[in-house]
Amino acid sequence: MNIYTGLNKGGHSWTPQFVTELNQDDCLGCGRCFKACGFDVLSMVGVTEDGEIVDAFDDEAEKKVMHISNADNCIGCQACNKACPKNLYTHSAMEVTAV
Ligand code: SF4
Ligand code: SF4
């Protein structure tokens, strides 16, 4: 296995760190990460008293939290975690099979 790397504009190698987890228990629902991500990875959801994930505007929602809804769209820039006041995101490099 190799680690996937790309090139920046200057032709230098960099290793994308793709989003893998979000600690929803501590999420403030502030939306800063959503604004920082330009790749349609994140969406706001609601959480009921029982911990069930529902639509953000559902009457049963006790609070709103961010959700990783389209992880495959992630480019690994880590802007979401930089924008998050609580550093709730986990990222990791992607392993690829050598060809
Ligand atoms: S790492 Fe970048 S592309 Fe991926 S979810 Fe965070 S802000 Fe969006
Ligand atoms: S920036 Fe952090 S606290 Fe705010 S919605 Fe995103 S994950 Fe939650």
Side-chain angles (χ1 to χ4, degrees):
M1 287 287 193
N2 290 342
I3 296 295
Y4 173 78
T5 59
L7 297 177
N8 66 15
K9 189 179 179 189
H12 302 290
S13 175
W14 74 290
T15 303
Q17 297 289 331
F18 298 100
V19 70
T20 54
E21 284 181 55
L22 163 58
N23 176 0
Q24 289 181 319
D25 290 344
D26 292 339
C27 178
L28 305 169
C30 68
R32 290 179 194 176
C33 55
F34 181 84
K35 290 180 185 168
C37 179
F39 296 91
D40 193 25
V41 178
L42 309 171
S43 59
M44 195 75 88
V45 296
V47 181
T48 67
E49 199 175 5
D50 298 331
E52 185 187 351
I53 299 290
V54 294
D55 186 88
F57 299 104
D58 192 300
D59 289 342
E60 299 284 313
E62 188 186 52
K63 68 171 190 170
K64 293 177 183 173
V65 298
M66 200 53 63
H67 176 66
I68 301 170
S69 51
N70 295 305
D72 284 354
N73 285 353
C74 181
I75 65 161
C77 67
Q78 295 179 278
C80 48
N81 201 52
K82 289 194 175 80
C84 179
K86 302 189 76 177
N87 295 325
L88 298 180
Y89 284 92
T90 303
H91 299 78
S92 67
M94 182 166 65
E95 289 188 347
V96 289
T97 305
V99 289

Coordinates of all heavy atoms in Angstrom, one line a residue:
M1 N 0.8 -1.2 0.0 CA 0.0 0.0 0.0 C 0.9 1.3 0.0 O 1.9 1.3 0.7 CB -0.9 0.0 1.3 CG -2.0 -1.0 1.2 SD -3.3 -0.5 0.1 CE -4.6 -1.6 0.5
N2 N 0.4 2.3 -0.8 CA 1.1 3.6 -0.8 C 0.1 4.6 -0.2 O -1.1 4.4 -0.2 CB 1.5 4.0 -2.2 CG 2.7 3.1 -2.7 OD1 3.3 2.5 -1.9 ND2 2.8 3.1 -4.0
I3 N 0.6 5.8 0.2 CA -0.2 6.9 0.6 C -0.5 7.8 -0.7 O 0.5 8.1 -1.4 CB 0.5 7.7 1.7 CG1 0.6 6.8 2.9 CG2 -0.3 9.0 2.0 CD1 -0.7 6.4 3.6
Y4 N -1.7 8.1 -0.9 CA -2.1 9.0 -2.0 C -1.5 10.4 -1.8 O -1.7 11.0 -0.8 CB -3.6 9.0 -2.2 CG -4.0 10.0 -3.2 CD1 -4.0 9.7 -4.6 CD2 -4.5 11.3 -2.9 CE1 -4.3 10.6 -5.5 CE2 -4.9 12.2 -3.8 CZ -4.8 11.8 -5.2 OH -5.2 12.7 -6.1
T5 N -0.8 10.9 -2.8 CA -0.3 12.3 -2.8 C -0.7 13.0 -4.1 O -0.9 12.4 -5.1 CB 1.2 12.3 -2.6 OG1 1.8 11.6 -3.7 CG2 1.7 11.7 -1.3
G6 N -0.8 14.3 -4.0 CA -1.1 15.1 -5.1 C 0.0 16.2 -5.3 O 1.0 16.2 -4.6
L7 N -0.2 17.1 -6.2 CA 0.7 18.2 -6.4 C 0.0 19.5 -6.2 O -1.2 19.7 -6.6 CB 1.3 18.2 -7.9 CG 2.1 17.0 -8.3 CD1 2.5 17.1 -9.7 CD2 3.4 16.9 -7.4
N8 N 0.7 20.5 -5.6 CA 0.1 21.8 -5.5 C 0.4 22.6 -6.8 O 1.1 22.1 -7.7 CB 0.5 22.5 -4.2 CG 2.0 22.9 -4.2 OD1 2.7 22.8 -5.2 ND2 2.5 23.2 -3.0
K9 N 0.0 23.9 -6.8 CA 0.2 24.7 -8.0 C 1.6 24.8 -8.4 O 2.0 25.0 -9.5 CB -0.5 26.0 -7.9 CG -0.5 26.8 -9.1 CD -1.2 28.2 -9.0 CE -1.2 29.0 -10.3 NZ -1.6 30.3 -10.1
G10 N 2.5 24.9 -7.3 CA 3.9 25.0 -7.5 C 4.6 23.7 -7.9 O 5.8 23.7 -8.1
G11 N 3.8 22.6 -8.0 CA 4.4 21.4 -8.4 C 5.0 20.6 -7.2 O 5.7 19.6 -7.5
H12 N 4.7 21.1 -6.0 CA 5.3 20.4 -4.9 C 4.2 19.3 -4.4 O 3.0 19.5 -4.4 CB 5.6 21.3 -3.7 CG 6.5 22.4 -4.1 ND1 7.9 22.1 -4.4 CD2 6.4 23.7 -4.4 CE1 8.5 23.2 -4.7 NE2 7.6 24.2 -4.8
S13 N 4.7 18.2 -3.9 CA 3.9 17.1 -3.4 C 3.2 17.5 -2.1 O 3.8 18.1 -1.2 CB 4.8 15.9 -3.2 OG 4.0 14.8 -2.7
W14 N 1.9 17.1 -2.0 CA 1.3 17.3 -0.7 C 0.3 16.1 -0.5 O -0.1 15.4 -1.5 CB 0.5 18.6 -0.6 CG -0.8 18.6 -1.4 CD1 -0.9 18.7 -2.8 CD2 -2.1 18.6 -0.9 NE1 -2.2 18.7 -3.2 CE2 -3.0 18.7 -2.0 CE3 -2.7 18.6 0.3 CZ2 -4.4 18.7 -1.9 CZ3 -4.1 18.6 0.5 CH2 -4.9 18.7 -0.7
T15 N 0.1 15.8 0.8 CA -0.7 14.6 1.1 C -2.1 15.0 1.6 O -2.2 15.6 2.7 CB 0.0 13.7 2.2 OG1 1.3 13.4 1.7 CG2 -0.8 12.5 2.5
P16 N -3.2 14.9 0.8 CA -4.5 15.2 1.3 C -4.8 14.4 2.6 O -4.5 13.2 2.7 CB -5.4 14.8 0.1 CG -4.5 14.7 -1.1 CD -3.2 14.3 -0.5
Q17 N -5.5 15.1 3.5 CA -6.0 14.4 4.7 C -7.5 14.5 4.6 O -8.1 15.5 4.9 CB -5.5 15.2 5.9 CG -4.0 15.2 6.1 CD -3.4 13.8 6.5 OE1 -4.1 13.1 7.1 NE2 -2.2 13.6 6.1
F18 N -8.1 13.3 4.3 CA -9.5 13.2 4.0 C -10.3 13.1 5.3 O -9.8 12.5 6.3 CB -9.8 12.0 3.1 CG -9.2 12.2 1.8 CD1 -8.0 11.5 1.5 CD2 -9.7 13.0 0.8 CE1 -7.4 11.6 0.2 CE2 -9.2 13.1 -0.5 CZ -8.0 12.4 -0.8
V19 N -11.5 13.7 5.3 CA -12.3 13.7 6.6 C -12.8 12.2 6.8 O -13.2 11.5 5.9 CB -13.5 14.7 6.4 CG1 -14.5 14.2 5.4 CG2 -14.1 14.9 7.8
T20 N -12.6 11.8 8.1 CA -13.1 10.4 8.4 C -14.1 10.4 9.5 O -15.0 9.6 9.5 CB -11.9 9.6 8.9 OG1 -11.2 10.3 10.0 CG2 -10.9 9.4 7.7
E21 N -14.0 11.4 10.4 CA -15.0 11.4 11.6 C -15.3 12.8 12.0 O -14.5 13.7 11.8 CB -14.4 10.6 12.8 CG -14.4 9.1 12.6 CD -13.9 8.4 13.9 OE1 -14.4 8.7 15.0 OE2 -12.9 7.7 13.8
L22 N -16.4 12.9 12.6 CA -16.8 14.2 13.3 C -17.5 13.9 14.6 O -18.4 13.0 14.7 CB -17.8 14.9 12.4 CG -18.7 16.0 13.0 CD1 -17.8 17.1 13.5 CD2 -19.6 16.6 11.9
N23 N -17.0 14.5 15.7 CA -17.5 14.2 17.0 C -18.8 15.1 17.2 O -18.8 16.2 17.6 CB -16.5 14.6 18.0 CG -17.0 14.5 19.5 OD1 -18.1 14.1 19.7 ND2 -16.1 14.8 20.4
Q24 N -19.9 14.4 16.8 CA -21.2 15.2 16.9 C -21.6 15.5 18.3 O -22.4 16.4 18.6 CB -22.3 14.4 16.2 CG -22.1 14.4 14.7 CD -23.2 13.6 14.0 OE1 -23.7 12.5 14.5 NE2 -23.7 14.1 12.8
D25 N -21.2 14.7 19.3 CA -21.6 14.9 20.7 C -21.2 16.3 21.2 O -21.9 16.9 22.0 CB -20.9 13.8 21.6 CG -21.5 12.4 21.4 OD1 -22.6 12.3 20.8 OD2 -20.8 11.5 21.8
D26 N -20.1 16.8 20.7 CA -19.6 18.1 21.1 C -19.9 19.2 20.2 O -19.4 20.4 20.4 CB -18.1 18.0 21.4 CG -17.8 17.1 22.6 OD1 -18.7 16.9 23.4 OD2 -16.6 16.6 22.7
C27 N -20.6 18.9 19.1 CA -20.8 19.9 18.0 C -21.8 21.0 18.5 O -22.8 20.7 19.1 CB -21.4 19.2 16.8 SG -21.8 20.4 15.4
L28 N -21.4 22.3 18.2 CA -22.2 23.4 18.6 C -23.3 23.8 17.6 O -24.1 24.6 17.9 CB -21.3 24.7 18.8 CG -20.1 24.5 19.7 CD1 -19.2 25.7 19.5 CD2 -20.6 24.4 21.1
G29 N -23.2 23.2 16.4 CA -24.2 23.5 15.4 C -24.0 24.9 14.8 O -24.9 25.5 14.3
C30 N -22.7 25.4 14.9 CA -22.5 26.8 14.5 C -22.4 27.0 13.0 O -22.6 28.1 12.5 CB -21.2 27.3 15.2 SG -19.7 26.5 14.5
G31 N -22.1 25.9 12.2 CA -22.1 26.0 10.8 C -20.8 26.6 10.2 O -20.7 26.7 9.0
R32 N -19.8 26.8 11.0 CA -18.5 27.4 10.4 C -17.9 26.4 9.5 O -17.3 26.8 8.4 CB -17.6 27.8 11.6 CG -18.0 28.9 12.4 CD -17.1 29.2 13.5 NE -17.7 30.1 14.5 CZ -17.2 30.5 15.6 NH1 -16.0 30.1 15.9 NH2 -17.8 31.4 16.4
C33 N -17.9 25.2 9.8 CA -17.3 24.2 8.9 C -18.0 24.1 7.6 O -17.4 23.9 6.6 CB -17.2 22.8 9.6 SG -18.9 22.3 10.2
F34 N -19.3 24.2 7.7 CA -20.1 24.1 6.4 C -19.7 25.2 5.5 O -19.6 25.0 4.3 CB -21.6 24.2 6.8 CG -22.5 24.1 5.7 CD1 -22.9 22.9 5.2 CD2 -23.0 25.3 5.1 CE1 -23.8 22.8 4.1 CE2 -23.9 25.2 4.0 CZ -24.3 24.0 3.5
K35 N -19.5 26.4 6.0 CA -19.2 27.6 5.2 C -17.7 27.4 4.6 O -17.4 27.9 3.6 CB -19.2 28.9 6.0 CG -20.6 29.3 6.4 CD -20.6 30.6 7.2 CE -22.0 30.9 7.6 NZ -22.0 32.0 8.6
A36 N -16.9 26.7 5.4 CA -15.5 26.6 5.0 C -15.3 25.5 3.9 O -14.4 25.6 3.1 CB -14.6 26.2 6.2
C37 N -16.2 24.6 3.8 CA -16.1 23.5 2.9 C -16.8 23.8 1.5 O -18.0 24.1 1.5 CB -16.7 22.2 3.4 SG -16.6 20.8 2.2
G38 N -16.0 23.8 0.5 CA -16.6 24.1 -0.8 C -16.9 22.9 -1.7 O -17.1 23.0 -2.9
F39 N -17.1 21.7 -1.1 CA -17.2 20.5 -1.9 C -18.4 19.7 -1.5 O -18.4 18.5 -1.8 CB -15.9 19.7 -1.8 CG -14.7 20.4 -2.4 CD1 -14.0 21.3 -1.6 CD2 -14.5 20.4 -3.7 CE1 -12.9 22.0 -2.2 CE2 -13.5 21.1 -4.3 CZ -12.7 21.9 -3.5
D40 N -19.4 20.3 -0.9 CA -20.7 19.6 -0.6 C -20.5 18.3 0.1 O -21.1 17.3 -0.2 CB -21.4 19.4 -2.0 CG -22.9 19.0 -1.8 OD1 -23.4 19.3 -0.7 OD2 -23.4 18.3 -2.6
V41 N -19.7 18.3 1.2 CA -19.4 17.1 2.0 C -20.3 17.1 3.2 O -20.7 16.1 3.7 CB -17.9 17.1 2.4 CG1 -17.7 15.9 3.3 CG2 -17.0 17.1 1.2
L42 N -20.6 18.3 3.7 CA -21.3 18.4 5.0 C -22.7 18.9 4.9 O -23.1 19.6 4.0 CB -20.5 19.4 5.9 CG -19.0 19.1 6.0 CD1 -18.3 20.3 6.7 CD2 -18.7 17.8 6.7
S43 N -23.5 18.5 5.9 CA -24.9 19.0 6.0 C -25.3 19.1 7.4 O -24.8 18.3 8.3 CB -25.9 18.2 5.2 OG -25.9 16.9 5.6
M44 N -26.3 20.0 7.7 CA -26.8 20.1 9.1 C -27.9 19.1 9.3 O -28.7 18.9 8.4 CB -27.3 21.5 9.3 CG -27.5 21.9 10.8 SD -25.9 22.1 11.7 CE -25.7 23.9 11.3
V45 N -27.9 18.4 10.4 CA -29.0 17.5 10.8 C -29.5 17.8 12.2 O -28.9 18.6 12.9 CB -28.6 16.0 10.7 CG1 -28.1 15.6 9.3 CG2 -27.5 15.7 11.7
G46 N -30.7 17.3 12.5 CA -31.2 17.4 13.8 C -31.0 16.2 14.6 O -30.8 15.1 14.1
V47 N -30.9 16.3 16.0 CA -30.8 15.2 16.9 C -31.9 15.2 17.9 O -32.1 16.3 18.5 CB -29.4 15.2 17.6 CG1 -29.3 13.9 18.5 CG2 -28.3 15.2 16.6
T48 N -32.6 14.1 18.0 CA -33.7 14.1 18.9 C -33.2 13.8 20.4 O -32.0 13.5 20.6 CB -34.7 13.0 18.6 OG1 -34.1 11.7 18.8 CG2 -35.2 13.1 17.1
E49 N -34.1 13.9 21.3 CA -33.8 13.6 22.7 C -33.2 12.2 22.9 O -32.3 12.0 23.7 CB -35.1 13.8 23.5 CG -34.8 14.0 25.0 CD -36.1 14.2 25.8 OE1 -37.2 14.1 25.1 OE2 -36.0 14.5 27.0
D50 N -33.6 11.3 22.0 CA -33.2 9.9 22.1 C -31.9 9.7 21.3 O -31.4 8.5 21.2 CB -34.3 9.0 21.6 CG -35.5 9.0 22.4 OD1 -35.4 9.3 23.6 OD2 -36.6 8.8 21.9
G51 N -31.4 10.7 20.7 CA -30.1 10.6 19.9 C -30.4 10.2 18.5 O -29.4 9.8 17.7
E52 N -31.6 10.2 18.0 CA -31.9 9.8 16.6 C -31.6 11.0 15.7 O -31.9 12.1 16.1 CB -33.4 9.4 16.5 CG -33.8 8.9 15.2 CD -35.3 8.7 15.1 OE1 -36.0 8.8 16.1 OE2 -35.7 8.4 14.0
I53 N -31.0 10.7 14.6 CA -30.7 11.7 13.6 C -31.9 12.0 12.7 O -32.5 11.0 12.2 CB -29.5 11.3 12.6 CG1 -28.2 11.1 13.5 CG2 -29.3 12.3 11.5 CD1 -27.6 12.3 14.0
V54 N -32.4 13.2 12.6 CA -33.5 13.6 11.8 C -33.2 14.8 11.0 O -32.1 15.4 11.1 CB -34.8 13.9 12.8 CG1 -35.2 12.6 13.5 CG2 -34.5 15.0 13.7
D55 N -34.2 15.2 10.2 CA -34.0 16.5 9.4 C -33.7 17.6 10.4 O -34.3 17.7 11.5 CB -35.3 16.7 8.6 CG -35.1 17.9 7.7 OD1 -34.7 17.7 6.5 OD2 -35.4 19.0 8.1
A56 N -32.9 18.6 9.9 CA -32.5 19.7 10.8 C -33.7 20.5 11.2 O -33.7 21.1 12.3 CB -31.5 20.6 10.0
F57 N -34.8 20.5 10.4 CA -36.0 21.3 10.8 C -37.1 20.5 11.3 O -38.2 21.0 11.5 CB -36.4 22.1 9.5 CG -35.3 23.1 9.0 CD1 -34.6 22.7 7.9 CD2 -35.0 24.2 9.7 CE1 -33.6 23.6 7.5 CE2 -34.0 25.1 9.3 CZ -33.3 24.8 8.2
D58 N -36.9 19.2 11.6 CA -37.9 18.4 12.2 C -38.3 18.9 13.6 O -37.4 19.3 14.4 CB -37.3 16.9 12.3 CG -38.4 15.9 12.6 OD1 -39.0 16.0 13.7 OD2 -38.5 15.0 11.8
D59 N -39.5 18.9 13.9 CA -40.0 19.3 15.2 C -39.5 18.5 16.3 O -39.4 19.0 17.5 CB -41.6 19.2 15.2 CG -42.2 20.3 14.3 OD1 -41.5 21.2 13.9 OD2 -43.4 20.1 14.0
E60 N -39.1 17.3 16.1 CA -38.5 16.4 17.1 C -37.1 16.8 17.5 O -36.5 16.3 18.5 CB -38.6 15.0 16.7 CG -40.0 14.4 16.4 CD -40.7 14.1 17.7 OE1 -40.1 13.5 18.6 OE2 -41.9 14.6 17.9
A61 N -36.4 17.6 16.6 CA -35.0 17.8 16.8 C -34.8 18.7 18.0 O -35.3 19.8 18.2 CB -34.4 18.5 15.6
E62 N -33.9 18.2 18.9 CA -33.6 18.9 20.2 C -32.5 19.9 19.9 O -32.4 20.9 20.5 CB -33.2 17.9 21.2 CG -33.1 18.5 22.6 CD -32.5 17.5 23.6 OE1 -31.5 16.9 23.4 OE2 -33.1 17.4 24.7
K63 N -31.6 19.5 19.0 CA -30.5 20.4 18.7 C -30.0 20.1 17.2 O -30.4 19.0 16.7 CB -29.3 20.3 19.6 CG -28.6 19.0 19.6 CD -27.3 19.0 20.4 CE -26.4 17.8 20.2 NZ -25.1 18.0 20.8
K64 N -29.2 21.0 16.7 CA -28.7 20.7 15.3 C -27.2 20.5 15.4 O -26.5 21.1 16.2 CB -28.9 22.0 14.4 CG -30.4 22.2 14.1 CD -30.6 23.4 13.3 CE -32.1 23.7 13.1 NZ -32.4 25.0 12.4
V65 N -26.7 19.5 14.6 CA -25.3 19.2 14.6 C -24.9 19.0 13.1 O -25.7 18.8 12.3 CB -24.9 18.0 15.4 CG1 -25.2 18.1 16.9 CG2 -25.6 16.7 14.8
M66 N -23.6 19.2 12.9 CA -23.1 18.9 11.5 C -22.9 17.4 11.3 O -22.8 16.6 12.2 CB -21.7 19.6 11.3 CG -21.4 19.9 9.9 SD -22.6 20.7 8.9 CE -22.7 22.3 9.7
H67 N -23.0 17.0 10.0 CA -23.0 15.6 9.6 C -22.2 15.5 8.4 O -22.2 16.3 7.5 CB -24.5 15.2 9.4 CG -24.6 13.8 8.9 ND1 -24.3 12.7 9.7 CD2 -25.1 13.3 7.7 CE1 -24.5 11.6 9.0 NE2 -25.0 11.9 7.8
I68 N -21.4 14.4 8.3 CA -20.6 14.1 7.1 C -21.5 13.3 6.1 O -21.8 12.1 6.3 CB -19.3 13.3 7.4 CG1 -18.4 14.1 8.3 CG2 -18.6 13.0 6.1 CD1 -17.3 13.2 8.9
S69 N -22.1 14.0 5.1 CA -23.1 13.4 4.3 C -22.6 12.9 3.0 O -23.2 12.0 2.4 CB -24.3 14.3 4.1 OG -23.8 15.6 3.6
N70 N -21.5 13.5 2.5 CA -20.9 13.1 1.2 C -19.4 13.0 1.3 O -18.7 13.7 0.7 CB -21.3 14.1 0.1 CG -22.8 14.1 -0.2 OD1 -23.4 13.1 -0.5 ND2 -23.3 15.3 -0.1
A71 N -18.9 12.0 2.1 CA -17.5 11.9 2.3 C -16.7 11.7 1.0 O -15.5 12.1 0.9 CB -17.2 10.7 3.3
D72 N -17.3 11.1 0.0 CA -16.6 10.8 -1.2 C -16.3 12.1 -2.0 O -15.4 12.1 -2.9 CB -17.4 9.9 -2.2 CG -17.4 8.5 -1.7 OD1 -16.7 8.1 -0.8 OD2 -18.2 7.7 -2.3
N73 N -16.9 13.2 -1.6 CA -16.6 14.5 -2.3 C -15.4 15.2 -1.7 O -14.9 16.2 -2.2 CB -17.8 15.5 -2.2 CG -18.9 15.1 -3.1 OD1 -18.8 14.2 -3.9 ND2 -20.0 15.8 -3.0
C74 N -14.9 14.7 -0.5 CA -13.8 15.4 0.2 C -12.5 15.4 -0.6 O -12.1 14.4 -1.2 CB -13.6 14.7 1.5 SG -12.3 15.4 2.5
I75 N -11.8 16.6 -0.6 CA -10.5 16.7 -1.3 C -9.4 16.6 -0.3 O -8.2 16.7 -0.7 CB -10.4 17.9 -2.2 CG1 -10.5 19.2 -1.3 CG2 -11.5 17.9 -3.2 CD1 -9.9 20.4 -2.0
G76 N -9.7 16.6 1.0 CA -8.7 16.4 2.0 C -7.9 17.7 2.4 O -6.8 17.7 2.8
C77 N -8.6 18.9 2.3 CA -8.0 20.2 2.6 C -7.9 20.5 4.0 O -7.2 21.4 4.4 CB -8.7 21.3 1.8 SG -10.4 21.6 2.4
Q78 N -8.8 19.9 4.9 CA -8.8 20.1 6.3 C -9.4 21.5 6.7 O -9.2 21.9 7.9 CB -7.5 19.9 7.0 CG -7.0 18.5 6.9 CD -5.6 18.3 7.5 OE1 -4.6 18.6 6.9 NE2 -5.6 17.9 8.8
A79 N -10.0 22.3 5.8 CA -10.5 23.6 6.1 C -11.6 23.5 7.1 O -11.8 24.4 7.9 CB -11.0 24.2 4.8
C80 N -12.4 22.4 7.1 CA -13.5 22.2 8.1 C -12.9 22.2 9.5 O -13.5 22.9 10.4 CB -14.2 20.9 7.8 SG -13.1 19.5 7.6
N81 N -11.9 21.5 9.8 CA -11.3 21.5 11.1 C -10.7 22.8 11.5 O -10.7 23.2 12.7 CB -10.4 20.3 11.3 CG -10.2 20.0 12.8 OD1 -11.2 19.7 13.5 ND2 -9.0 19.9 13.3
K82 N -10.1 23.5 10.5 CA -9.5 24.8 10.9 C -10.5 25.8 11.2 O -10.3 26.7 12.1 CB -8.7 25.3 9.7 CG -7.4 24.5 9.4 CD -6.5 25.2 8.4 CE -5.1 24.5 8.3 NZ -5.2 23.4 7.4
A83 N -11.7 25.7 10.6 CA -12.8 26.6 10.9 C -13.5 26.2 12.2 O -14.2 27.1 12.8 CB -13.8 26.6 9.8
C84 N -13.4 25.0 12.7 CA -14.2 24.5 13.8 C -13.5 25.0 15.1 O -12.4 24.7 15.4 CB -14.2 23.0 13.8 SG -15.1 22.3 15.3
P85 N -14.3 25.7 16.0 CA -13.7 26.2 17.2 C -13.4 25.1 18.2 O -12.7 25.4 19.2 CB -14.8 27.1 17.8 CG -16.1 26.7 17.1 CD -15.7 26.1 15.8
K86 N -13.9 23.9 18.0 CA -13.6 22.8 18.9 C -12.8 21.7 18.3 O -12.6 20.6 19.0 CB -15.0 22.3 19.5 CG -15.8 23.4 20.1 CD -17.0 22.8 20.9 CE -16.6 22.1 22.1 NZ -17.8 21.6 22.9
N87 N -12.3 21.9 17.1 CA -11.4 20.8 16.5 C -12.1 19.4 16.5 O -11.4 18.5 17.0 CB -10.0 20.8 17.2 CG -9.3 22.1 16.9 OD1 -9.4 22.7 15.9 ND2 -8.5 22.5 17.9
L88 N -13.3 19.4 16.0 CA -14.0 18.1 16.2 C -13.8 17.1 15.1 O -14.3 16.0 15.2 CB -15.5 18.4 16.3 CG -15.9 19.3 17.5 CD1 -17.4 19.5 17.5 CD2 -15.5 18.6 18.8
Y89 N -13.1 17.5 14.1 CA -12.9 16.6 12.9 C -11.6 15.7 13.0 O -10.6 16.2 13.6 CB -12.8 17.4 11.6 CG -14.1 17.9 11.2 CD1 -14.5 19.2 11.5 CD2 -14.9 17.2 10.3 CE1 -15.8 19.7 11.1 CE2 -16.2 17.6 9.9 CZ -16.6 18.9 10.3 OH -17.8 19.4 9.9
T90 N -11.7 14.5 12.5 CA -10.6 13.6 12.3 C -10.4 13.4 10.8 O -11.3 13.3 10.1 CB -10.8 12.3 13.0 OG1 -11.1 12.5 14.4 CG2 -9.6 11.4 12.9
H91 N -9.1 13.5 10.4 CA -8.8 13.3 9.0 C -7.7 12.2 8.9 O -6.9 12.0 9.9 CB -8.2 14.6 8.4 CG -9.2 15.7 8.4 ND1 -9.4 16.5 9.5 CD2 -9.9 16.2 7.4 CE1 -10.3 17.4 9.2 NE2 -10.6 17.3 7.9
S92 N -7.6 11.6 7.7 CA -6.4 10.7 7.5 C -6.1 10.7 6.0 O -6.9 10.9 5.2 CB -6.7 9.3 8.1 OG -7.7 8.7 7.3
A93 N -4.8 10.3 5.8 CA -4.4 10.1 4.4 C -5.0 8.9 3.9 O -5.5 8.0 4.6 CB -2.9 10.0 4.4
M94 N -5.1 8.8 2.5 CA -5.7 7.6 1.9 C -4.7 6.6 1.4 O -3.7 7.0 0.7 CB -6.6 8.1 0.7 CG -7.3 7.0 0.0 SD -8.7 7.6 -1.0 CE -7.7 8.5 -2.3
E95 N -4.9 5.4 1.7 CA -4.0 4.4 1.2 C -4.4 3.9 -0.2 O -5.6 3.8 -0.4 CB -3.9 3.1 2.1 CG -3.2 3.4 3.5 CD -3.0 2.2 4.3 OE1 -3.7 1.2 4.0 OE2 -2.3 2.2 5.2
V96 N -3.5 3.8 -1.1 CA -3.9 3.3 -2.4 C -3.0 2.1 -2.8 O -1.8 2.0 -2.3 CB -3.7 4.4 -3.5 CG1 -4.8 5.5 -3.3 CG2 -2.3 5.0 -3.4
T97 N -3.5 1.3 -3.6 CA -2.7 0.1 -4.1 C -1.8 0.5 -5.2 O -2.2 1.2 -6.1 CB -3.7 -1.0 -4.6 OG1 -4.6 -1.3 -3.6 CG2 -2.9 -2.2 -5.0
A98 N -0.5 0.2 -5.0 CA 0.5 0.6 -6.0 C 0.2 -0.2 -7.3 O -0.3 -1.3 -7.3 CB 1.9 0.2 -5.6
V99 N 0.4 0.6 -8.5 CA 0.1 -0.1 -9.8 C 1.4 -0.2 -10.6 O 2.4 0.5 -10.3 CB -0.9 0.7 -10.6 CG1 -2.3 0.5 -10.0 CG2 -0.6 2.2 -10.8
Ligands
SF4_1 S1 -11.3 18.3 4.4 FE1 -11.9 20.0 3.0 S2 -13.2 19.1 1.4 FE2 -13.0 17.6 3.1 S3 -14.9 18.0 4.4 FE3 -13.2 19.2 5.2 S4 -13.3 21.3 4.2 FE4 -14.6 19.8 3.0
SF4_2 S1 -17.6 24.2 13.1 FE1 -17.4 22.5 14.7 S2 -18.9 23.1 16.3 FE2 -19.4 24.3 14.4 S3 -20.9 23.1 13.3 FE3 -18.9 22.5 12.5 S4 -18.3 20.7 13.7 FE4 -19.9 21.7 14.8

